[in-house]
Amino acid sequence: MSTSHHRSARARQPENSRSFPFLALIGALVLALGGCGLAGGTASDDRTISIVATDSPPYHDPLEIARRQLEAQGWQLDVRYVTDIVQPNHAVSAGEADFNFFQHGAYLQTFNRDNGTDVVPLFYVVGSPAGLYSTRYDDIAQLPDGARIALPVDPANNGRALHLLAEAGRLKLRDGAQVVTTSQRDIVDNPHRYSFVEVDQQTLTQTLPDVDAGFLFSRQAIEIGLDVEGSALLREKDVDAVPYRIVVGGRPDEVGSEKARALQAALHSPQVAGFFKRFYGDWAPLPWTEDPQAQLGQWWKDGGR
């Protein structure tokens, strides 16, 4: 054995003895940080996509279709279903979930403004025209003076029925009122003396029998057995309901990410398109070639105030 080898062996022994606890500590820290996603891995190593979604068929079914497609590509889709419209954006903003699937662009903008969150629309899933429905009357002309009309209380949806009524000549709104920010304060003439009952959007279907007319999302009308188009007293056109297209939301760092691209491809598949056509009908808008981030400013003309 050479002299140099004897020297290096003697030199290493005390150094290794002194550093072993330190190296063990470093190793434990690396393992711990790696488990938290803070070290020792890359985005491509994480094959789980977590999403918070509305507990309703037009959200369940597309995600179950997407789950099967993603699994075939080596992804795991972790879905948490909720029944409220507050948790999903907070969960994404806080990093508790990668994405959410429950809202339209106008609600997302309003929520960010009012709650200080920064969730962005990554892609459209399906258009969501809504309408005014009644269990008592078949035509808007039959709606009596003094009729009670149910509206969703949340600001992003509150003005939609008011705009439909204004377009039908049943009341008048202030000039320049934007649909995503309109409320009863914007009514300047109400010749039929309608009164408006504001309720949580999740209870609109339960409220409908107790009022003369009420605002419903298309999925809600379907869920209670109404003909979405034929039963509506008044109904939005998709071209006028661009702010109300359903989006998948995520944090800004997810724009263009591998996870976002995989989820978008799965939710934009022919199988998902077939589901929407069966559930909604041939009118179901699928604006999959359009970019919500490029369109969000088109209706937010007054800054949301």
Side-chain angles (χ1 to χ4, degrees), residues 13 28-29 31 41 50 61 74 77 83 93-94 125 141 164 189 199 202 215 217-218 225 229 236 238 273 286 294:
Q13 181 61 34
L29 285 172
L31 287 173
S50 58
D61 291 57
L77 185 62
T83 57
S93 185
V125 180
L164 285 172
D189 188 20
V199 301
Q202 302 289 58
F215 177 90
F217 302 110
S218 293
E229 295 183 293
E236 296 169 336
D238 180 54
L286 298 176

Side-chain angles (χ1 to χ4, degrees), residues 33 66 100 107 123 132 165 209 241 244 255 264-265 267 278 295 301 305:
L33 290 172
N100 59 42
Y107 180 81
F123 55 88
L132 198 67
L165 289 166
Y244 302 107
V255 175
Q264 180 174 1
L267 286 174
R278 291 190 300 273
Q295 296 178 332
K301 297 177 183 176
R305 291 181 287 275

Side-chain angles (χ1 to χ4, degrees), residues 11 22 37 51 63 73-74 83 87 93 124 128 130 142 161 179 186 193 208 250 267 272 282 301:
F22 176 74
I51 189 167
L63 286 173
Q73 299 167 16
T83 57
Q87 289 186 59
S93 185
Y124 289 125
S128 184
Q142 298 173 354
V179 64
D186 296 298
R193 304 186 308 280
L208 188 62
L267 286 174
V272 171
D282 289 336
K301 297 177 183 176

Side-chain angles (χ1 to χ4, degrees), residues 135-252:
T135 59
R136 304 176 183 181
Y137 306 102
D138 298 321
D139 190 277
I140 190 64
Q142 298 173 354
L143 204 61
D145 291 352
R148 297 173 70 242
I149 300 174
L151 306 177
V153 68
D154 60 284
N157 290 297
N158 189 256
R160 297 172 75 176
L162 299 180
H163 272 263
L164 285 172
L165 289 166
E167 291 163 8
R170 309 296 291 184
L171 54 75
K172 186 176 180 181
L173 300 172
R174 68 170 176 84
D175 291 342
Q178 301 299 312
V179 64
V180 298
T181 55
T182 293
S183 70
Q184 293 185 59
R185 295 189 300 272
D186 296 298
I187 299 173
V188 295
D189 188 20
N190 184 7
H192 297 284
R193 304 186 308 280
Y194 297 141
S195 63
F196 299 98
V197 181
E198 297 185 349
V199 301
D200 183 275
Q201 63 168 257
Q202 302 289 58
T203 65
L204 287 166
T205 54
Q206 294 96 306
T207 306
L208 188 62
D210 300 323
V211 293
D212 295 293
F215 177 90
L216 294 179
F217 302 110
S218 293
R219 68 172 177 84
Q220 292 175 318
I222 290 169
E223 287 167 2
I224 61 173
L226 295 177
D227 177 348
V228 173
E229 295 183 293
S231 299
L233 303 183
L234 300 168
R235 191 163 181 274
E236 296 169 336
K237 298 184 178 75
D238 180 54
V239 69
D240 299 321
V242 172
Y244 302 107
R245 289 172 174 171
I246 303 301
V247 299
V248 165
R251 291 180 300 282

Side-chain angles (χ1 to χ4, degrees), residues 62-82:
L63 286 173
E64 289 308 309
I65 294 169
R67 184 199 302 279
R68 294 192 290 272
Q69 297 189 29
L70 288 165
E71 285 178 350
Q73 299 167 16
W75 293 95
Q76 177 181 337
L77 185 62
D78 180 11
V79 186
R80 175 158 58 99
Y81 292 104
V82 298

